[in-house]
Amino acid sequence: MFYGAGMSPSQSHARIEPATDSTIAQAGDMLRHGHLVAFPTETVYGLGADAFNPRAVCRIFEVKKRPRFDPLIVHVSAPAEAEPLWARVPRAALRLIEEFWPGPLTIVLPKRRRVLDIVTAGLDTVAVRMPDHEAALGLIRRLGRPIAAPSANLFGRVSPSSARAVWEDLGGSVDLILDGGSSAVGIESTVVKVEGGGCVLLRPGAVPVERIEEILPVRRLKKAPFARESPGLTESHYAPRTPLRLITVPSLRFAKDLRRFRELHRRNRIPWPRIGALVYRRKIPSGLIARTAVLSRRGDLVEAASNLFQAIRKLDKMNLDVIVAESVPERAIGLAIMDRLKRASGGLGFAGIHRERKRKSD
Ligand code: TXA
Ligand code: MG
């Protein structure tokens, strides 16, 4: 058997190869033969299949344990390759392409019949993007067709921004992981649906919505319709195994809250949890936190985004009881960071932790 179905990463047989002309060529040939290949992009690593091979695409859903209702992004190596996938390319879409491709903007438009239903999860639209990464572009060119690829993580987990992170999630079920180093951007593409001369923001991402607004009117969705409009945007996505809670108060105030919680724990004889903190610029001034990961000391949201998923993965390995994540400013790429943190926390704050731990210890 070529694929190791049901294998855990400890039984991994995936090869990790530095992305070079020759490994990219090999990978392209593997895709042509219906295999899956994980590859780097500027945002996060993708798990790729030939977009026109239904069995290979089907395999993506199995390997990721991804529900079939969640459509995939089709990756192209040039704008001209996108046009035959879409029924019609309105001017608004052309303007976005001109401004942002290659780059982390995914554009959703009505699809042509030739685009497989399994790729779009039965929707009559297809999401397309042209990555800004030489290895990804080289791979698509070598295959000679677009590549359907979600992020190369298990469904619901944190996206991988390194080959190693792919290996940890999927090492048992892919044959080849092309290693292009750490993803430069580190957070997924912005997804917009073009309609009526403007667009709808389906997923905040690496391209700040403010930049899109300079070109087109953008309609932002409220929380609820997200899931319906873009099926992958379910809550409780991007979750580490350790519970993650969002801090919405300033860090001095949180340090004070911790002291109060500490008292509550003591009174109820509940052991104090091992807390990991994911902070934006500075440590939370509190001795009650076991570990800290700082996203950007100089307060640069782009740097923070590029460190986000690796920092979450790192804390997730530290045997902590809970990770608390500090809020970042909700502007520019910060909107995407906060979107991922809100999903990872399932909308929960720190206060509930005490009750949960009490229940557990009762
Ligand atoms: O940066 C990225 O976008 C990475 C790299 C690998 O390109 N890919 C990625 O794919 O994040 P994935 O599958 O993890 O997320 C794709 C998102 C999902 O939320 C999905 O629901 C949405 O795009 N999507 C895909 N096709 C869609 C469609 N036709 N209509 C609405 N949303 C769509
Ligand atoms: Mg994903």
Side-chain angles (χ1 to χ4, degrees):
M1 184 176 60
F2 209 63
Y3 289 112
M7 280 181 160
S8 70
S10 58
Q11 299 163 289
S12 172
H13 63 280
R15 272 193 300 141
I16 300 185
E17 298 279 358
T20 61
D21 288 350
S22 91
T23 57
I24 290 170
Q26 266 181 46
D29 296 345
M30 286 170 69
L31 288 172
R32 188 164 320 113
H33 288 105
H35 298 296
L36 304 188
V37 171
F39 63 99
T41 81
E42 81 281 29
T43 57
V44 297
Y45 278 68
L47 176 64
D50 174 352
F52 287 100
N53 180 332
R55 285 192 47 197
V57 173
C58 188
R59 194 66 211 141
I60 289 181
F61 288 87
E62 284 167 19
V63 161
K64 273 194 64 133
K65 303 192 173 43
R66 179 175 174 123
R68 292 295 172 95
F69 60 73
D70 192 358
L72 306 178
I73 295 174
V74 177
H75 296 70
V76 295
S77 66
E81 270 169 46
E83 286 162 19
L85 305 171
W86 288 325
R88 211 172 56 79
V89 191
R91 241 181 77 77
L94 291 174
R95 298 198 55 198
L96 292 177
I97 289 172
E98 205 175 292
E99 186 68 26
F100 297 109
W101 280 14
L105 182 75
T106 297
I107 301 174
V108 175
L109 276 171
K111 76 177 189 82
R112 289 217 190 158
R113 286 236 328 253
R114 67 166 71 98
V115 178
L116 298 174
D117 280 336
I118 183 157
V119 169
T120 66
L123 295 179
D124 55 10
T125 54
V126 61
V128 184
R129 92 173 184 101
M130 177 180 173
D132 187 11
H133 195 290
E134 275 316 310
L137 295 172
L139 187 62
I140 302 163
R141 277 189 224 112
R142 175 73 184 203
L143 171 64
R145 280 195 293 272
I147 294 178
S151 51
N153 51 285
L154 288 172
F155 180 72
R157 296 285 165 197
V158 180
S159 292
S161 42
S162 68
R164 169 89 207 175
V166 176
W167 188 85
E168 285 169 5
D169 263 24
L170 304 177
S173 24
V174 295
D175 302 302
L176 180 60
I177 302 169
L178 285 179
D179 188 349
S182 290
S183 312
V185 176
I187 203 160
E188 303 91 336
S189 63
T190 303
V191 182
V192 293
K193 182 173 185 177
V194 173
E195 58 182 32
C199 63
V200 184
L201 177 68
L202 297 181
R203 177 176 73 180
V207 172
V209 63
E210 294 89 337
R211 285 206 50 209
I212 305 173
E213 275 165 341
E214 287 166 16
I215 298 175
L216 292 178
V218 180
R219 188 158 65 85
R220 302 184 190 210
L221 294 175
K222 296 270 174 300
K223 216 167 161 191
F226 258 51
R228 200 173 355 110
E229 296 248 7
S230 193
L233 300 180
T234 47
E235 296 269 324
S236 90
H237 221 96
Y238 304 100
R241 285 168 216 280
T242 316
L244 184 144
R245 296 302 150 92
L246 195 60
I247 307 174
T248 48
V249 296
S251 83
L252 273 176
R253 167 71 201 284
F254 184 68
K256 225 169 124 190
D257 288 349
L258 281 179
R259 286 202 295 277
R260 206 161 41 80
F261 278 123
R262 166 72 175 198
E263 225 2 79
L264 269 174
H265 276 70
R266 200 175 278 149
R267 239 182 284 144
N268 291 302
R269 293 170 202 281
I270 307 167
W272 184 244
R274 263 175 66 78
I275 301 176
L278 180 70
V279 300
Y280 179 34
R281 308 182 61 164
R282 296 187 196 89
K283 283 191 159 185
I284 295 164
S286 170
L288 297 172
I289 289 170
R291 295 296 185 131
T292 294
V294 182
L295 291 177
S296 171
R297 284 187 197 285
R298 51 191 163 95
D300 175 353
L301 287 169
V302 171
E303 182 183 41
S306 74
N307 289 327
L308 180 69
F309 291 141
Q310 297 211 29
I312 294 179
R313 279 181 186 261
K314 197 173 100 193
L315 288 172
D316 206 15
K317 285 180 192 153
M318 288 179 167
N319 196 23
L320 300 161
D321 295 304
V322 59
I323 298 170
V324 293
E326 188 179 28
S327 298
V328 306
E330 238 164 325
R331 59 178 155 75
I333 202 170
L335 184 68
I337 298 176
M338 283 301 285
D339 171 77
R340 308 305 186 264
L341 290 178
K342 284 177 190 166
R343 288 175 206 285
S345 67
L348 296 174
F350 185 70
I353 276 286
H354 168 257
R355 276 189 299 280
E356 273 167 41
R357 290 180 63 76
K358 181 159 177 2
R359 212 176 307 127
K360 256 193 229 157
S361 71
D362 279 347

